[in-house]
């Protein structure tokens, strides 16, 4: 499903297959993804947690907000296929703009691999997520939560 968005990714499982590391190939795509997926169960309800939601795109070719929105929708579809009832995104609150200089240097096309460390709240609110306080790291992380019906 991530390939349909335009990102060729490697997915590696660890921690007894309850956690997966998703990372795209730097040389195969103008979209770079680096995140962790973890399935946890609380009160009999399985939840898919998306941790470190890092998405970097070539701004000259792609729109970062559109790609992040598509990836959010892909992860919801994935959770539903696994019969997971809830999904949470644990993300950085920092909305600082950063540049991936190595990616820019390696691109043969005109490139502007820049990204926002956090994700704008509008992407989650338009997808019916609600913000939850992050108990441990509330100063620099936000949790967006959604029950999947």
């Amino acid at each position: 499903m991530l390939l349909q968005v335009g990102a060729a990714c490697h997915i590696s499982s660890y921690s007894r297959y309850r956690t997966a590391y998703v990372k795209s190939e730097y040389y195969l795509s103008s979209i770079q993804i680096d995140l962790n997926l973890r399935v946890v169960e609380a009160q009999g309800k399985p939840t898919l947690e998306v941790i470190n939601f890092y998405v970097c795109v070539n701004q000259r070719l792609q729109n970062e907000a559109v790609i992040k929105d598509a990836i959010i929708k892909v992860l919801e579809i994935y959770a539903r296929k696994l019969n997971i009832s809830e999904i949470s995104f644990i993300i950085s609150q920092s909305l600082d703009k950063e540049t991936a200089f190595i990616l820019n240097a390696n691109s043969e096309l005109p490139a502007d691999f820049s990204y926002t460390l956090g994700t704008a709240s509008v992407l989650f609110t338009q997808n019916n997520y609600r913000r939850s306080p992050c108990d441990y790291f509330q100063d620099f992380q936000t949790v967006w939560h959604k029950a999947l019906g």
Side-chain angles (χ1 to χ4, degrees), residues 68-101:
K68 283 184 174 181
D69 185 58
I71 293 169
I72 289 169
K73 287 175 172 57
V74 162
L75 294 171
E76 286 181 21
I77 292 168
Y78 174 70
R80 283 186 179 101
K81 287 185 181 226
L82 294 177
N83 295 319
I84 293 175
S85 58
E86 297 180 355
I87 186 169
S88 293
F89 284 79
I90 302 168
I91 61 167
S92 169
Q93 288 194 102
S94 172
L95 294 177
D96 295 338
K97 200 74 162 170
E98 299 289 338
T99 300
F101 295 105

Side-chain angles (χ1 to χ4, degrees), residues 37-53:
L37 302 174
R38 176 174 58 200
V39 177
V40 296
E41 194 163 327
Q43 300 170 354
K45 292 182 181 180
T47 299
L48 177 65
E49 291 183 340
V50 181
I51 305 161
N52 300 330
F53 186 57

